[in-house]
Amino acid sequence: MGVLETVILVGSLGLIAWGGVYLGHYGGRFDGSEFEAVPTKRTVSAGPAAAPESPEFKEGRRIYVANCQACHGTRGEGEGAPGVPPLDKSEWVVAAGPARLIRILAHAVEGPIKVAGKEYNNTGMLAWGSQLSPEQLAAVSTFIRQAWGNKGGPVSVDQIKAVLNETKGREAKWTVAELEKIPESLGGGSATELTPEQLRDKLKALPPEKLQALLKELGK
Ligand code: HEC
């Protein structure tokens, strides 16, 4: 064997050995568990340049996996169970304000409902208002508004509480017709919205003569 052949042989053996080690390290297992429906950071992050995840977002993912994923899919694509609409790119999820979304989560919605261009009519959506705390509802709302392809703003605990307050005593699921009458920004969707309670507290804080004048004005 000449020098050249020896170099090539040794080099090839080295490459084969390296390839084996590389595959062992990075190749993964060749079984179904590699494709398990566990949402990892890779499947739910907004992309390579995604900002660091907030604690609410992480908590929201945990709640989503535990409560919603079976029906709405590991990546919010819907059809986790037959006839379930997607949350990814759903106009109900990424609406400008969360007033309708929070109502859907708190008391559920009954179809027909159009989501991302397709009509659904399924009675499966559950009411979460009595199952999850306001903090958990805020976290899961924030998560679904920011996961996958969604780029909605976060939802605060105050916004959740405001809507729960406005809808206190409600048992029935929402219909789309009812939801469409509610401005998206209601319930704290914009920073300037006040709940009736907040408004009352503000009025109480006014000096008596100002309050008198205001009441007189409103009474006209
Ligand atoms: C048992 C199945 C099931 C579970 C669990 C479930 N949903 Fe739904 N969800 C539905 C169905 C079905 C609809 C559509 C209702 C219809 O067709 O009238 C829906 C509708 C929605 C909608 C409005 C439509 C859309 O796709 O944007 C949102 C938002 C939503 N669900 C969020 C959630 C979240 C968040 C959770 C977990 C906290 C959850 N759902 C858990 C079945 C489910």
Side-chain angles (χ1 to χ4, degrees), residues 63-72 76 78 81-94 100-102 104-105 108-116 119-126 128 132 137 140-141 144 173-174 176 179:
I63 295 163
Y64 180 81
V65 170
N67 300 293
C68 325
Q69 174 172 288
C71 290
H72 287 285
V84 179
L87 302 182
D88 189 18
K89 308 209 179 69
S90 157
E91 59 272 48
W92 296 97
V93 175
V94 297
R100 296 174 186 172
L101 173 64
I102 297 171
I104 291 175
L105 295 190
V109 61
E110 57 187 10
I113 180 170
K114 211 167 168 195
V115 184
E119 192 144 301
Y120 295 84
N121 196 357
N122 193 309
T123 53
M125 179 59 182
L126 306 169
W128 297 97
L132 300 173
L137 287 169
V140 77
S141 305
I144 62 174
K173 295 183 178 186
W174 296 94
V176 168
L179 288 173

Side-chain angles (χ1 to χ4, degrees), residues 16-82:
I16 289 166
W18 174 83
V21 170
Y22 184 90
L23 269 183
H25 264 276
Y26 302 108
R29 302 181 300 277
F30 292 102
D31 62 25
S33 69
E34 275 298 288
F35 304 97
E36 247 167 28
V38 177
T40 60
K41 190 163 185 229
R42 187 179 31 167
T43 54
V44 293
S45 74
E53 293 171 355
S54 66
E56 291 74 36
F57 184 89
K58 287 186 184 161
E59 168 71 354
R61 177 195 287 129
R62 199 189 57 71
I63 295 163
Y64 180 81
V65 170
N67 300 293
C68 325
Q69 174 172 288
C71 290
H72 287 285
T74 53
R75 295 171 53 254
E77 73 277 28
E79 302 285 346

Side-chain angles (χ1 to χ4, degrees), residues 135-173:
E135 288 74 19
Q136 290 173 319
L137 287 169
V140 77
S141 305
T142 297
F143 173 75
I144 62 174
R145 276 168 68 81
Q146 301 185 338
W148 319 300
N150 290 347
K151 305 272 188 287
V155 177
S156 72
V157 177
D158 280 350
Q159 288 174 320
I160 300 282
K161 284 185 178 163
V163 172
L164 291 180
N165 232 326
E166 283 163 22
T167 59
K168 206 175 259 163
R170 185 176 178 105
E171 303 272 338
K173 295 183 178 186

